[in-house]
Amino acid sequence: MTQALELRSRVTAAGELHLGLEETTLSAPAPDEVVVRIEAAPINPSDLGLLLGPADLATMQAGGTADRPTLVLQIPPQRMGMMKARLDQSLPVGNEGAGTVIAAGENAQGLIGRKVGMLGGGMYASHRKLAVRDTIALPDGASAADGASMFVNPLTALAMPEVMRAEGHKGLIHTAAASNLGQMLNRIAIADGVPLVNIVRSADQAKLLRDAGATYVVDSTSADFRDELTDAVAATNATIAFDAIGGGKLTNAILHAMEAAASREPGAYSRYGSTTFKQVYIYGGLDVGPTTLDRGFGFAWSVSGFLLTPFLIKAGAAKTQELKDRVARELKTTFASHYTDTISLADALRPEVVEQYQRKATGTKYLIDPSR
């Protein structure tokens, strides 16, 4: 058995979010399981939904001790409706991570001492027991930090061109494109010849991507954003987009640009708009407000959500393994991740640190090292 320390999140019926470190005991691994000492786990935007939920960060109250800090936050009453399914449950946090295998079942003895990347939740912990199928052995010379982010962002970035091709589109648009994931997608697009329109939110972000070889980069803060986006869409035939922002009017602007680009093609006028089908998938929530559509882009369009896990299930085991193998091969190139800072489990519960990593700002990504 292995003693572990886990970061856990709990919502109470009284409308409070409680964060703390809890001890747990891991039983011996089954034949096809391993126990991993976790040495790196990233804080992704997708982790923050479970970690902090809809709590009001202005209400953070720190407690506990230096080694075992606690944090209590208030949840506004109007947000409690979405929390009913998780009331009074102490939930582990952290989608992915990496570390060293310290124990293994009889069918996985060859992994003892190897560094592996992992996907399966509960990664903000000192140790984790999980099935071998949820791990990937890291290439020789790769550190835990190299492998910590080898699932969520890389597989999501690889999924986008896969969906583009499967649905018959010729080019794609990506928002928040200077993000860690966006930079991976840009490298994939260059390597695989995928026409890609990158939408960013500043001139500095635009320069970053152009310096990295991106051909089409559009700054949403530009006075000519709509025209520049339409020109890029026309040049790439991009009729599918993946939007990390979610709220606001950006999805609306993308659909308008797709329609305007399609309308440049010669053909009969229709009061119902072009027949070119336009698809936007919202896969993030950097803006948690409503998504605003004015529907001035015809009738051949769809806006829907996208999540990685349903995509992988639909893609099947063989395709999923193919994508994972590519991530492992290109771990230090295409899928390299860079971090703003590395913090401990205790640090992750300090209000001043929470304020930093919850901002989800481009170019800022935090890594938890539970061994600290």
Side-chain angles (χ1 to χ4, degrees):
M1 293 189 294
T2 303
Q3 295 300 120
L5 191 66
E6 298 180 337
L7 194 161
R8 287 181 168 262
S9 173
R10 179 170 60 91
V11 173
T12 72
E16 293 181 339
L17 175 71
H18 290 247
L19 302 176
L21 302 179
E22 299 182 13
E23 290 186 357
T24 187
T25 300
L26 305 180
S27 59
D32 293 302
E33 291 181 330
V34 293
V35 175
V36 181
R37 181 180 66 244
I38 300 176
E39 297 155 359
I43 301 177
N44 293 314
S46 56
D47 296 310
L48 295 176
L50 178 57
L51 179 64
L52 300 174
D56 181 355
L57 295 180
T59 66
M60 283 191 286
Q61 294 292 321
T65 65
D67 292 336
R68 299 290 178 86
T70 62
L71 207 56
V72 177
L73 303 89
Q74 302 299 314
I75 300 175
Q78 65 270 25
R79 299 178 185 174
M80 281 297 293
M82 67 182 75
M83 294 289 103
K84 289 183 179 179
R86 62 168 289 190
L87 289 181
D88 296 315
Q89 298 178 63
S90 178
L91 301 177
V93 187
N95 285 318
E96 61 183 337
T100 302
V101 177
I102 62 168
E106 60 185 270
N107 297 331
Q109 289 292 300
L111 286 173
I112 293 179
R114 290 289 305 271
K115 289 193 183 297
V116 296
M118 305 170 286
L119 181 69
M123 295 299 167
Y124 298 166
S126 62
H127 298 79
R128 179 75 162 83
K129 185 179 74 169
L130 70 171
V132 171
R133 66 175 178 272
D134 294 325
T135 71
I136 297 179
L138 301 187
D140 291 341
S143 67
D146 291 330
S149 296
M150 68 185 302
F151 287 96
V152 176
N153 282 353
L155 292 178
T156 302
L158 284 170
M160 293 176 184
E162 292 287 338
V163 174
M164 179 197 78
R165 288 185 284 262
E167 295 186 358
H169 301 277
K170 296 179 180 178
L172 67 85
I173 299 169
H174 184 230
T175 71
S179 66
N180 194 281
L181 188 155
Q183 293 180 58
M184 291 180 185
L185 179 59
N186 181 54
R187 291 191 285 266
I188 293 168
I190 292 171
D192 296 359
V194 175
L196 173 65
V197 179
N198 299 277
I199 298 178
V200 297
R201 293 176 284 179
S202 72
D204 287 342
Q205 292 175 4
K207 182 179 185 303
L208 183 151
L209 284 175
R210 290 194 180 99
D211 289 348
T215 302
Y216 300 98
V217 185
V218 186
D219 180 1
S220 62
T221 66
S222 167
D224 298 319
F225 169 60
R226 286 290 189 101
D227 291 338
E228 292 167 355
L229 179 57
T230 300
D231 289 343
V233 170
T236 57
N237 290 315
T239 50
I240 184 172
F242 289 85
D243 180 21
I245 308 300
K249 299 181 179 180
L250 186 54
T251 287
N252 192 63
I254 291 169
L255 289 168
H256 272 281
M258 290 176 176
E259 178 68 5
S263 298
R264 292 180 179 181
E265 298 296 323
Y269 165 77
S270 169
R271 74 184 72 180
Y272 302 113
S274 75
T275 58
T276 299
F277 184 72
K278 303 165 285 292
Q279 173 71 56
V280 178
Y281 286 110
I282 295 175
Y283 78 98
L286 296 179
D287 182 340
V288 297
T291 302
T292 303
L293 304 177
D294 63 23
R295 296 181 57 191
F297 31 75
F299 283 83
W301 57 272
S302 175
V303 176
S304 54
F306 178 86
L307 290 172
L308 176 61
T309 299
F311 163 80
L312 294 176
I313 292 171
K314 184 177 180 180
K319 171 58 72 173
T320 297
Q321 191 59 51
E322 175 189 322
L323 299 179
K324 288 181 178 179
D325 289 344
R326 179 173 180 180
V327 175
R329 289 195 308 271
E330 302 174 28
L331 188 58
K332 290 193 173 185
T333 53
T334 307
F335 303 106
S337 292
H338 304 283
Y339 301 97
T340 304
D341 200 1
T342 301
I343 60 178
S344 69
L345 283 173
D347 290 336
L349 297 180
R350 305 195 194 287
E352 65 274 16
V353 179
V354 175
E355 288 283 0
Q356 293 301 312
Y357 66 66
Q358 66 82 30
R359 292 173 56 228
K360 298 176 284 189
T362 297
T364 60
K365 190 175 181 69
Y366 283 75
L367 190 70
I368 294 177
D369 179 356
S371 68
R372 287 191 169 198

